Amino acid sequence: MSVDYSPKAVSMMVAQAVKRALDSTTAEIAGDVEENALRKKTNPGPRYLNPSEPGNPPAVRTGNLARNMGHSGVAEIKVVGSRVTGGVFNSAPYAALLEFGTRKMAPRPFMLPTISHNADRYKQIMLEEIRYEVGR
């Protein structure tokens, strides 16, 4: 039995492992943002009653913001230095306005605080996924 340990074969194996790990991690981040931030407070009633406090995640009225959370897998690995990126996004048209605020409204961040709070856990997920994929 022969095993191919050529640099190209190893490089392809590691790239596939990183792709899978990044996809898994971005899915985890999107799920965390949806679970931890967007569902903390419900806001029944007319829109002018009980708005979320500035600096806190937005109150949930319809669930549209939660439904629009997503993550993008990595179609191709592009390594720049030691950096590989994946994407987490919210496609609701008002998501960025809530996250960063406007001239007339203070931010109601729901993505960045969750990601910052869990950054070490996401790094650990990436490492575990890569180890698993390479070890198969």
Side-chain angles (χ1 to χ4, degrees), residues 19-29 71 125 129:
K19 279 183 181 181
R20 288 190 185 107
L22 196 55
D23 188 53
S24 178
T25 305
T26 55
E28 184 80 12
I29 293 169
H71 67 99
I125 291 169
E129 290 284 333

Side-chain angles (χ1 to χ4, degrees), residues 21 24-25 28 120-130:
S24 178
T25 305
E28 184 80 12
D120 290 339
R121 192 172 118 251
Y122 299 141
K123 289 175 191 171
Q124 192 60 38
I125 291 169
M126 281 287 293
L127 290 172
E128 289 172 10
E129 290 284 333
I130 291 169

